[in-house]
């Protein structure tokens, strides 16, 4: 099969941090073909396949055979291809993948994590205008809710039709135009230009600092301590999402977040909504500590220390970097960041308030990251 493959004459250089789908769109634009035709030219689709519709999750994981075909047709090394797929973040920003690793397993595993979007993306229109409509891979992670450079919240859906952005579907959609079909007009694709959409402004300095530090963890996905921080933050977000009636109110922040928080009606699907992600992160890192400068500094220190609080021995409890509810029996107290401790029990990580830390009776287990 490799002998029948030919090197393409016009191949775009991958943009730093670009997703695989974005690079395919750049290849299509350079060769003036459709996205589906570009996949065929790059041999992402098997040349001898009887059907010509790629898996919608091809941007998550590619087999060694597919990567070898792409290397022959485009000259991209396996390493450069890997850095454009979501599995680049595995065992770091994302937990350890299942074994054996193959496309069907990844396709069902990633959605269960609720940490990454395989079939859609968030976006900063200003970045798209500046870089020539090249979409960043990090925008497909829940940890990207804002653009620090342009001080705006990312868009999670089209301003016109409300559909997801940059969906992994062969069709009229592209890196520039939305191109999704609305149920009321199935014959007409949305003509909105994504780079011209206006995202909400972000002025909350605490959230900007959170995003800066999250960007640092994403850019170095296998840094020591980063996985533990993101795991703890994800558990805090999930706890607020599940028990939002008992969580602290949203602290003082941008008005657009307060409007979104009041309008969630109990549906906290933050995977598809960067505004809800930002609101939950604000609560998790500041909730319950008050408005003083010392309290905010304590939240930042407790939430983002890669080392955490000093441990006396291997069985010492983990620091509560993010707010959570006490899991002791008959206690539903909110434990602010920096207070109490977290213990890994047989039923999963448990947060304990200061009053119940001394009452611990469950055994401490080795840490694993589960969704």
């Amino acid at each position: 099969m490799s002998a029948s493959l030919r090197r393409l004459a016009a191949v775009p250089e991958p943009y730093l941090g670009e997703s695989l789908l974005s690079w395919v769109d750049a290849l299509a634009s350079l060769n003036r073909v459709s996205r589906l035709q570009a996949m065929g030219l790059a041999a992402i689709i098997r040349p001898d396949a009887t059907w010509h519709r790629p898996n919608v999750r091809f941007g998550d994981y590619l087999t060694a055979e597919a990567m070898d075909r792409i290397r022959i047709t485009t000259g991209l090394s396996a390493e450069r291809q890997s850095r454009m797929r979501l599995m680049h973040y595995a065992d770091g920003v994302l937990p350890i993948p299942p074994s054996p690793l193959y496309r069907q397993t990844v396709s069902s595993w990633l959605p269960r994590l609720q940490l990454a979007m395989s079939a859609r993306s968030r976006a900063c229109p200003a970045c798209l205008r500046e870089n020539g409509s090249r979409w960043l891979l990090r925008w497909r992670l829940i940890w990207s809710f804002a653009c620090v450079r342009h001080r705006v919240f990312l868009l999670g859906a089209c301003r016109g039709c409300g559909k997801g952005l940059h969906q992994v579907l062969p069709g009229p959609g592209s890196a520039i135009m939305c191109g999704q079909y609305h149920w009321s007009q199935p014959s007409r694709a949305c003509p909105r230009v994504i780079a011209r959409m206006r995202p909400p402004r972000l002025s909350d300095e605490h959230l900007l600092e959170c995003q800066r530090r999250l960007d640092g963890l994403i850019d170095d996905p296998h840094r020591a301590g980063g996985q533990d921080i993101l795991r703890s933050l994800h558990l805090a977000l999930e706890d607020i999402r599940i028990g939002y009636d008992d969580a602290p109110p949203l602290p003082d922040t941008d008005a657009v977040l307060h409007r979104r928080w009041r309008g969630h009606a109990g549906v906290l699907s933050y995977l598809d909504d960067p505004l809800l992600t930002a609101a939950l992160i604000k609560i998790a890192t500041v909730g319950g500590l008050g408005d003083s400068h010392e309290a905010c500094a304590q939240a930042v220190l407790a939430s983002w220390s890669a080392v955490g609080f000093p441990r006396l021995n291997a069985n010492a409890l983990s620091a509560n970097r993010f707010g959570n509810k006490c899991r002791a029996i008959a206690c539903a107290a909110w434990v602010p960041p920096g207070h109490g401790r977290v213990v890994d029990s047989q039923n999963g990580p448990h947060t304990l308030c200061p009053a119940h830390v001394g009452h611990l009776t469950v055994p401490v287990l080795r840490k694993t990251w589960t969704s």
Side-chain angles (χ1 to χ4, degrees):
M1 181 187 303
S2 299
S4 63
L5 298 176
R6 297 168 54 182
R7 178 71 160 82
L8 297 176
V11 177
E13 183 72 13
Y15 187 80
L16 181 63
E18 185 178 18
S19 70
L20 181 59
L21 180 62
S22 175
W23 178 82
V24 168
D25 284 338
L27 178 67
S29 176
L30 184 62
N31 289 274
R32 299 184 179 181
V33 296
S34 68
R35 174 187 290 176
L36 190 58
Q37 290 173 320
M39 291 179 178
L41 291 176
I44 295 175
I45 304 173
R46 288 174 56 94
D48 58 347
T50 57
W51 52 274
H52 296 281
R53 188 179 182 87
N55 189 296
V56 295
R57 303 189 188 279
F58 83 97
D60 302 344
Y61 169 72
L62 289 173
T63 63
E65 178 187 355
M67 294 176 68
D68 187 55
R69 294 197 306 266
I70 297 172
R71 178 187 59 79
I72 295 173
T73 57
T74 67
L76 294 182
S77 65
E79 180 182 358
R80 299 193 75 175
Q81 295 179 50
S82 297
R83 295 184 69 87
M84 293 191 290
R85 297 173 291 125
L86 283 174
M87 292 309 297
H88 167 64
Y89 297 121
D91 197 17
V93 174
L94 299 178
I96 299 175
S99 181
L101 185 63
Y102 54 95
R103 190 193 301 267
Q104 287 76 14
T105 301
V106 173
S107 297
S108 59
W109 171 69
L110 273 177
R112 291 199 303 268
L113 291 177
Q114 296 292 296
L115 292 167
M117 296 162 284
S118 299
R120 60 188 294 169
S121 177
R122 298 173 178 180
C124 171
C127 286
L128 293 175
R129 290 194 299 270
E130 293 177 357
N131 64 22
S133 297
R134 310 296 278 268
W135 293 67
L136 303 184
L137 182 63
R138 68 160 61 148
W139 290 345
R140 293 185 177 270
L141 299 172
I142 66 165
W143 305 123
S144 293
F145 61 86
C147 176
V148 175
R149 179 178 178 182
H150 298 104
R151 300 177 72 93
V152 296
F153 290 103
L154 299 183
L155 291 179
C158 175
R159 288 287 197 177
C161 65
K163 297 293 187 68
L165 300 172
H166 209 219
Q167 296 198 34
V168 189
L169 296 171
S174 66
I176 300 174
M177 186 183 74
C178 173
Q180 304 302 316
Y181 294 101
H182 193 269
W183 63 270
S184 63
Q185 295 178 318
S187 61
R188 181 183 178 186
C190 178
R192 289 291 187 100
V193 177
I194 300 172
R196 296 177 184 173
M197 297 179 186
R198 293 186 178 181
R201 298 291 303 174
L202 171 58
S203 59
D204 189 324
E205 293 296 334
H206 179 83
L207 286 176
L208 284 169
E209 181 61 22
C210 286
Q211 186 62 75
R212 287 190 190 95
R213 300 190 182 199
L214 285 169
D215 288 347
L217 295 179
I218 294 171
D219 292 340
D220 188 7
H222 307 293
R223 191 183 79 182
Q227 182 173 348
D228 184 53
I229 291 174
L230 294 177
R231 172 181 175 271
S232 300
L233 180 54
H234 185 232
L235 290 173
L237 299 189
E238 283 294 290
D239 190 77
I240 297 172
R241 183 184 68 83
I242 296 171
Y244 68 91
D245 286 332
D246 300 323
L250 179 64
D252 183 35
T253 184
D254 291 310
V256 65
L257 288 190
H258 283 285
R259 289 195 298 270
R260 185 66 188 91
W261 185 249
R262 289 195 299 268
H264 66 70
V267 182
L268 300 179
S269 4
Y270 59 87
L271 181 65
D272 299 332
D273 194 332
L275 293 181
L276 276 180
T277 303
L280 290 172
I281 289 179
K282 181 74 174 184
I283 294 174
T285 54
V286 178
L289 282 180
D291 299 326
S292 68
H293 174 75
E294 293 77 13
C296 293
Q298 183 183 13
V300 172
L301 175 63
S303 300
W304 298 103
S305 171
V307 183
F309 282 71
R311 298 188 178 185
L312 299 177
N313 53 62
N315 291 329
L317 305 184
S318 303
N320 176 30
R321 295 192 178 97
F322 306 98
N324 216 324
K325 288 187 299 184
C326 179
R327 296 300 179 89
I329 297 176
C331 180
W334 179 263
V335 187
H339 299 266
R341 286 291 187 269
V342 177
V343 59
D344 284 345
S345 71
Q346 293 179 346
N347 297 323
H350 283 200
T351 301
L352 299 176
C353 67
H356 289 99
V357 170
H359 298 168
L360 178 66
T361 58
V362 294
V364 177
L365 303 178
R366 183 180 65 87
K367 287 188 177 182
T368 57
W369 191 9
T370 60
S371 59

